[in-house]
Amino acid sequence: MSPALQSSLRVLISAERIQERVRELGARIDADYQGGIHLVAILKGACFFLSDLARALHIPAKIDFIGISSYGKGKTTSGEVRLTKDLDMSIEGFDVLVVEDIVDSGVTLNYLMKVLQQRKPRTLRIAALLDKPERRIQPVDVAYIGFQIPDQFVVGYGLDFAEQYRNLKDVCVLEETER
Ligand code: IMP
Ligand code: MG
């Protein structure tokens, strides 16, 4: 009989480190976008990062959401990207910053940047809380990165596994161990 698997969480980046880093990124974005910014957060994972990052800014900021689905219920990308919710506002002529939780294969953001570029923003850049550079299969240029992490599956601070764990305050590695 095969042994049962048990999930355990190990803190990788504490809530305090996240908050400190978000303040640093906010200060950089403040300095780079003095005319204001149009934030586009990718549902649902980027919600917590967006809400802290937006409050770290002192420049005028508009907020919109876009829904993208590229994952099934597992831990790897299906390779297929689908728009599940479009923006409410036009981005034409605006300085747009896409806010994402994590860049993994790059498939999602590579696709989304092409879609958004067609809508003629004045500028278009990306802020991602986490980056797993080892996993990249499609190129993505990320202007603001919170933390580079190794190739491990993480949850918390917006990130989920099968829709669970998003509300954890820390970013944790989800490990499966034998019971
Ligand atoms: P990509 O298209 O492979 O870059 O995947 C981006 C999306 O995959 C992210 O927005 C996350 O929703 C999800 N994802 C990638 N790595 C992880 C992880 O370690 N934990 C949770 N979700 C992840
Ligand atoms: Mg996501």
Side-chain angles (χ1 to χ4, degrees), residues 165-176:
Y165 308 114
R166 290 193 198 274
N167 60 325
L168 299 176
K169 291 183 177 66
D170 311 298
V171 169
C172 301
V173 177
L174 185 63
E175 284 164 338
E176 275 171 356

Side-chain angles (χ1 to χ4, degrees), residues 42-46 68 100-102 108:
I42 305 181
L43 293 170
K44 301 169 201 170
I68 294 262
E100 175 59 312
D101 51 6
I102 187 166
T108 306

Side-chain angles (χ1 to χ4, degrees), residues 42-46 68 70-71 74-79 81 100-110 130 132 135-138 140 149-156 158-161 166 172:
I42 305 181
L43 293 170
K44 301 169 201 170
I68 294 262
S70 66
Y71 269 48
K75 289 183 178 176
T76 51
T77 183
S78 64
V81 190
E100 175 59 312
D101 51 6
I102 187 166
V103 192
D104 186 36
S105 69
V107 171
T108 306
L109 278 170
N110 187 284
L130 304 174
K132 282 191 213 172
R135 300 255 310 167
R136 205 75 89 250
I137 57 175
Q138 286 187 14
V140 181
I149 63 168
D151 180 9
Q152 287 175 318
F153 195 83
V154 290
V155 294
L159 292 141
D160 75 305
F161 176 56
R166 290 193 198 274
C172 301

